[in-house]
Amino acid sequence: MCARFVSALPITGAAVSVFGGMVPETSICASDVMAARLDEMQFDLGEGPRWDSASSRLPVHETHVQHSTHQNWPMFGAALKQTEVAALFVYPLSVAALDVGVVELYSLRPGPLSARDNAIAQALASETAWTLLDHLLSMQEAARTTEPRDNAPLSRREIHQATGMVLVQLGSNATEALLVMRAHAFSHDKSLRDVAGDVVERRLVFAA
């Protein structure tokens, strides 16, 4: 997962972490020791661009970290200056209204990413968010005790109808729309049928 970012972008390393309410903070991967260290330092200190990106749901770029005052995160900034890292690029991993985590990229060379590279990074971050969400839901649903599923045709029709409505709302496809509904159902302790009913009755609307 991290290797995709390193191979596609002019960066030195990458780390992916999940957090945001669905699971405890967990490091998924790191391409090298420095990437893992940067992720761990921010988690230990409770500050850094990963937290800014997660809270704002926007990319955070620090293109000249050795010459910045880092007023928003002074402790991490001081620790950062003890490394050889020259630039940081952090992207949120989000699916609709769900926060999955962040991907943290670093470079030993200062300077910004090009517009093309930024677009590639955001596309990879989006793909990674969907992959992680699907994996997390599969793991949690397997471990969760639930009531028996309702296999009534009406229930299935309502879910299919809701899936069609959500894919239009998000501008996505049926697989992703169903995944968003499943995630919402899990995080709100509801059944998928109940969520589908809320969508069909327009009590619940997902925005892109």
Side-chain angles (χ1 to χ4, degrees):
M1 190 174 293
C2 288
R4 296 182 65 199
F5 289 91
V6 177
S7 62
L9 298 165
I11 58 171
T12 307
V16 172
S17 291
V18 296
F19 59 92
M22 293 193 65
V23 293
E25 201 280 346
T26 304
S27 177
I28 298 299
C29 66
S31 62
D32 54 56
V33 173
M34 180 56 72
R37 181 182 173 192
L38 293 171
D39 180 77
E40 185 175 5
M41 283 194 303
Q42 292 179 82
F43 176 70
D44 290 345
L45 294 171
E47 64 173 35
R50 57 135 50 190
W51 302 113
D52 292 352
S53 181
S55 62
S56 68
R57 308 187 90 212
L58 296 170
V60 175
H61 291 187
E62 288 290 328
T63 59
H64 294 82
V65 298
Q66 297 298 331
H67 302 290
S68 176
T69 58
H70 306 303
Q71 294 182 356
N72 290 338
W73 19 276
M75 291 187 294
F76 176 67
L80 194 58
K81 289 185 178 181
Q82 302 303 311
T83 72
E84 298 180 349
V85 174
L88 284 173
F89 312 99
V90 185
Y91 292 85
L93 301 178
S94 303
V95 174
L98 299 170
D99 297 316
V100 182
V102 294
V103 56
E104 304 155 77
L105 314 176
Y106 83 91
S107 176
L108 297 180
R109 305 170 104 183
L113 294 175
S114 68
R116 178 178 180 275
D117 288 331
N118 182 54
I120 291 173
Q122 295 200 58
L124 288 175
S126 178
E127 293 174 11
T128 300
W130 283 106
T131 299
L132 284 175
L133 180 60
D134 188 30
H135 182 65
L136 290 171
L137 285 173
S138 296
M139 290 178 58
Q140 292 180 337
E141 288 173 357
R144 189 184 190 192
T145 301
T146 59
E147 58 183 303
R149 295 183 179 181
D150 185 345
N151 292 317
L154 179 60
S155 174
R156 292 199 299 269
R157 286 201 299 270
E158 193 170 53
I159 291 173
H160 292 321
Q161 182 181 356
T163 300
M165 293 173 67
V166 173
L167 74 84
V168 171
Q169 292 169 10
L170 297 177
S172 61
N173 56 48
T175 300
E176 294 176 346
L178 184 58
L179 183 58
V180 167
M181 289 198 300
R182 285 173 54 215
H184 185 88
F186 186 89
S187 62
H188 290 79
D189 197 27
K190 290 185 174 183
S191 69
L192 180 58
R193 184 183 62 181
D194 289 340
V195 171
D198 288 341
V199 171
V200 171
E201 295 299 323
R202 292 178 171 78
R203 293 187 295 267
L204 176 62
V205 176
F206 292 95

